[in-house]
Amino acid sequence: MIRVILVALTLVLFLIFSIPVILFENVRRKSHLESSRRQSLSIVQFMFRLILKISGVKVKVEGWENIPKDQAVLYVGNHRSYFDILVGYTTVPGLMGFVAKKEMEQIPLLKNWMDLVECLFLDRKNIKEGLKTILAGIEKVKNGISIWIFPEGTRNKHADRTELLPFKEGSLKIAEKSGCPVIPVAITGTADVFEKHVPFIRPHQVTVRYGKPIYLKTLPPEQKKHSGAYTREVIIGMLKDMDDMGEDR
């Protein structure tokens, strides 16, 4: 329980004492946008690494060389834990924002930091607003900011971690419309940190594997038509391979 208390206290204190930083960065963005983006990301990455350390989480990264370093991408990953977000932000190169559910926009201070690190808020119940989010994501990618999305739409609680939920329709639209590569991401071990034994946080090794880029325009017609289902199968294959290697067991 002590780890939960320390993590919660760290997060609350950070949000409270970072209010001046939020105000400063919002002003600085008007004249030094790129510098502000990188500084904001650096601060969040520092805090996430601290939380991972307090939680006793050790992160193993595989396939980092598969991520293009000269362009923005769409990261598409499986989702089993809140810790997936921390692992994502602390292991990717360059600027990147997550696609989060609309409800997150209602949390004061957290919402401000999510804005600063280029997150998007998706309202899945409103088609018109959802389209606006996709268009905003396309614009970010064109400006060199990668986007990370969990197409399952929610945390997967299935006992078998290779059993993914169906990917939401249109989840890869940002890549389809912008032409950026899709990087499939398989994460294991994050649910063992918290979700499997709420409310306790327990030390565990987490592995994040970045797969080879998928260029949707080069896929055969049938796979291109069902690109979400195709990418889902790629990630399932990655997870099965990680299971065969005995990772995070």
Side-chain angles (χ1 to χ4, degrees):
M1 183 61 74
I2 186 65
R3 292 183 188 274
V4 174
I5 295 173
L6 287 175
V7 167
L9 187 61
T10 299
L11 183 58
V12 170
L13 290 176
F14 167 70
L15 290 175
I16 293 174
F17 287 104
S18 68
I19 292 175
V21 179
I22 292 172
L23 296 174
F24 173 74
E25 291 299 339
N26 280 326
V27 171
R28 194 159 76 99
R29 291 206 159 199
K30 296 176 182 179
S31 56
H32 298 85
L33 178 58
E34 187 67 16
S35 176
S36 177
R37 281 172 170 166
R38 296 192 178 281
Q39 181 64 27
S40 298
L41 177 61
S42 178
I43 293 171
V44 168
Q45 287 176 328
F46 171 81
M47 286 306 305
F48 281 175
R49 289 190 180 103
L50 177 59
I51 291 174
L52 289 171
K53 185 173 183 178
I54 292 172
S55 302
V57 176
K58 294 183 178 180
V59 181
K60 178 182 178 182
V61 182
E62 298 176 349
W64 199 75
E65 68 280 0
N66 290 324
I67 305 173
K69 306 303 187 292
D70 58 348
Q71 67 178 125
V73 305
L74 179 68
Y75 295 99
V76 178
N78 63 309
H79 190 27
R80 296 182 61 84
S81 170
Y82 292 116
F83 278 85
D84 295 333
I85 298 169
L86 280 69
V87 170
Y89 262 122
T90 55
T91 59
V92 300
L95 298 172
M96 185 270 289
F98 273 85
V99 175
K101 58 184 179 181
K102 185 72 173 178
E103 290 75 8
M104 299 293 289
E105 201 171 19
Q106 307 303 317
I107 304 176
L109 300 182
L110 180 60
K111 185 265 183 188
N112 297 95
W113 273 109
M114 291 177 76
D115 282 336
L116 287 172
V117 291
E118 309 300 333
C119 287
L120 296 168
F121 300 95
L122 179 62
D123 185 350
R124 295 190 177 92
K125 298 179 181 179
N126 188 317
I127 296 177
K128 185 177 180 180
E129 291 301 315
L131 178 58
K132 288 182 181 179
T133 301
I134 291 173
L135 293 175
I138 293 171
E139 192 62 28
K140 285 183 182 293
V141 167
K142 289 181 177 179
N143 287 319
I145 301 168
S146 295
I147 298 296
W148 187 308
I149 190 168
F150 296 118
E152 292 174 281
T154 187
R155 284 175 291 128
N156 184 355
K157 300 178 182 179
H158 201 285
D160 182 355
R161 63 187 183 186
T162 65
E163 185 68 31
L164 301 189
L165 299 174
F167 280 15
K168 298 296 182 181
E169 186 72 24
S171 56
L172 272 63
K173 284 294 182 183
I174 292 175
E176 290 176 9
K177 299 299 183 181
S178 69
C180 76
V182 171
I183 301 296
V185 188
I187 304 176
T188 61
T190 47
D192 296 280
V193 179
F194 182 61
E195 278 75 8
K196 285 187 177 180
H197 35 70
V198 175
F200 301 101
I201 288 178
R202 294 177 179 170
H204 199 79
Q205 176 173 296
V206 169
T207 299
V208 53
R209 177 180 291 186
Y210 293 101
K212 294 182 179 180
I214 299 172
Y215 295 89
L216 301 184
K217 291 183 178 180
T218 67
L219 293 178
E222 188 62 24
Q223 292 178 347
K224 186 187 299 184
K225 183 179 179 181
H226 303 286
S227 57
Y230 171 76
T231 305
R232 177 178 179 273
E233 289 302 316
V234 170
I235 296 173
I236 289 174
M238 293 166 66
L239 290 168
K240 287 181 177 179
D241 183 60
M242 294 164 80
D243 271 359
D244 290 343
M245 294 177 66
E247 293 185 349
D248 312 322
R249 289 297 189 185

